[in-house]
Amino acid sequence: MEFFDKVGKAALGSRLRLMTAVVTDDAAKIYELYGVDFMPKWFPVFYTLAEEREITITEIANEIGHSQPSVSKIIQEMTVAGLVQESLKTDDKRKNNVVLSEKGLLIWKNVQLQLQDVDKAIEGIISEAKHNLWAALEEWDFLLQQKSLLKRVNEQKKQRESQKVEIVEYKPEYHEAFRSLNVEWISTYFEMEETDYKALDNPDEYILNKGGKIFVALYQNEPVGVCALIKMNNPEYDYEMAKMAVSPKAQGKSIGWLLGQAIVNSARELGAKKIYLESNTILKPAINLYYKLGFEKVYGLETPYKRCNIQMELVVS
């Protein structure tokens, strides 16, 4: 246990595997105690057959949450052991129904007594323990179904790495990054258009001198993301959020979210009431980001971009 005390909760999987190995080893010995020639890994399939009597391999897999190949392998092993046989009652040859054999049914009688004793033994452990592991497992199973451990760890990774991201305002030294990041992003999914070149080749003339802003995301002092707030000549909208691009090598660090927040905060400071943006629905992560920032879908504005198939707005104040 000293190892787990040292490593901490990061060794959860290893500790659970160790406990599983201990319990599984005891389970094999418990079957021997009751004179049952049986492998512990067969139990979920065996129990389902005992309860359902006749069922397909696919139905067993769905019932116990195992893969179909895994169940098929267990059925084969149990068939060799003489515990399972194909059902002769069904006329549907498309279904591979299986049932317990006479030997399997006989073993089931012994196993039922064994289950009673095991259940009482587990209840004894629960009564002695400070924490109810069985109840905790149910709770953990529910929580991990809602959000997997992988997703939770990825969120922590993003949060930690995003703390190293610095959002700064545009300087002439970032012009090449502003252009190249956008060209890379646009060319990956679409094709560069005339309006793209205007903004990317002449950001001062097209964006900054008209009252707009450009923000740059720095990760380890390297420009890895950009986004622009462009002044609009429109009675409905004050600014457009545009030209957001993040380097593929820097994705997964919440850079888009940080840039989006910088844009929205800047628009608010400039007294904007509404921000507009254009995008394409094939960019699902980007669309999800816009919704997360508070944008909602709108219709009807004329667009200079062939790739635009969705328009969105954000009410700032």
Side-chain angles (χ1 to χ4, degrees):
M1 293 301 105
E2 184 179 341
F3 168 77
F4 296 115
D5 291 337
K6 186 188 301 182
V7 178
K9 298 176 182 65
L12 174 65
S14 298
R15 187 158 193 176
L16 288 174
R17 280 193 296 273
L18 179 60
M19 180 176 288
T20 300
V22 170
V23 172
T24 302
D25 184 55
D26 267 357
K29 294 173 182 175
I30 290 170
Y31 285 116
E32 292 178 12
L33 181 65
Y34 287 78
V36 177
D37 185 13
F38 197 88
M39 296 182 67
K41 69 175 182 177
W42 295 349
F43 179 74
V45 174
F46 181 82
Y47 185 88
T48 303
L49 284 171
E51 291 287 297
E52 301 289 343
R53 297 298 180 189
E54 182 177 325
I55 192 170
T56 67
I57 291 175
T58 300
E59 288 169 335
I60 295 172
N62 292 336
E63 179 76 18
I64 67 177
H66 287 200
S67 69
Q68 189 169 333
S70 171
V71 173
S72 294
K73 185 177 179 182
I74 290 174
I75 289 292
Q76 290 172 7
E77 293 173 355
M78 293 172 67
T79 301
V80 172
L83 305 181
V84 171
Q85 64 187 29
E86 286 192 21
S87 173
L88 302 177
K89 295 180 181 179
T90 179
D91 295 326
D92 191 346
K93 301 301 181 183
R94 294 170 298 178
K95 289 188 175 181
N96 186 21
N97 285 23
V98 289
V99 295
L100 291 182
S101 65
E102 288 187 14
K103 180 180 177 181
L105 290 170
L106 184 62
I107 286 179
W108 171 235
K109 292 181 180 179
N110 288 339
V111 169
Q112 284 179 291
L113 296 174
Q114 175 185 325
L115 290 178
Q116 293 177 26
D117 296 343
V118 169
D119 192 63
K120 289 182 179 178
I122 297 296
E123 284 292 340
I125 296 175
I126 291 174
S127 66
E128 294 173 24
K130 183 179 179 180
H131 304 288
N132 186 330
L133 178 60
W134 187 253
L137 287 172
E138 289 184 354
E139 187 175 18
W140 273 62
D141 185 54
F142 172 79
L143 292 172
L144 290 174
Q145 285 182 37
Q146 304 307 303
K147 186 188 294 185
S148 71
L149 180 60
L150 173 63
K151 188 169 183 179
R152 292 169 188 268
V153 172
N154 190 39
E155 287 176 353
Q156 294 301 317
K157 179 176 181 288
K158 283 185 177 182
Q159 184 177 347
R160 174 175 52 79
E161 293 182 341
S162 68
Q163 293 173 357
K164 299 179 181 179
V165 177
E166 183 183 5
I167 306 298
V168 300
E169 289 202 31
Y170 176 87
K171 296 179 182 178
E173 64 194 78
Y174 298 133
H175 179 211
E176 179 54 34
F178 179 62
R179 190 183 192 284
S180 61
L181 286 169
N182 268 284
V183 169
E184 179 183 26
W185 177 84
I186 295 169
S187 301
T188 298
Y189 299 98
F190 311 101
E191 61 180 29
M192 292 286 291
E193 300 181 42
E194 182 181 352
T195 306
D196 292 315
Y197 287 112
K198 286 181 179 178
L200 298 178
D201 290 340
N202 305 287
D204 287 285
E205 177 185 346
Y206 192 81
I207 301 172
L208 301 174
N209 294 345
K210 294 181 179 180
K213 296 267 190 177
I214 298 174
F215 291 94
V216 180
L218 302 178
Y219 183 71
Q220 296 178 340
N221 295 319
E222 179 186 355
V224 292
V226 291
C227 192
L229 184 67
I230 302 175
K231 191 78 173 70
M232 293 184 69
N233 185 21
N234 184 291
E236 188 72 17
Y237 299 104
D238 303 290
Y239 292 91
E240 176 185 4
M241 186 169 85
K243 297 295 175 281
M244 179 183 284
V246 178
S247 171
K249 66 182 180 181
Q251 289 176 356
K253 296 176 174 56
S254 300
I255 291 174
W257 168 250
L258 294 172
L259 284 168
Q261 284 186 310
I263 288 291
V264 173
N265 291 336
S266 179
R268 185 177 290 113
E269 291 171 2
L270 291 169
K273 294 181 179 179
K274 279 187 182 180
I275 308 175
Y276 172 78
L277 70 78
E278 297 181 337
S279 189
N280 190 291
T281 50
I282 69 168
L283 306 171
K284 292 183 180 180
I287 300 300
N288 289 336
L289 169 64
Y290 302 146
Y291 278 121
K292 187 178 177 182
L293 287 166
F295 282 87
E296 297 291 339
K297 191 185 299 185
V298 292
Y299 303 92
L301 270 72
E302 186 176 346
T303 173
Y305 294 105
K306 291 186 290 185
R307 61 178 179 266
C308 171
N309 73 353
I310 183 172
Q311 299 169 317
M312 306 181 79
E313 70 174 18
L314 172 66
V315 177
V316 179
S317 59

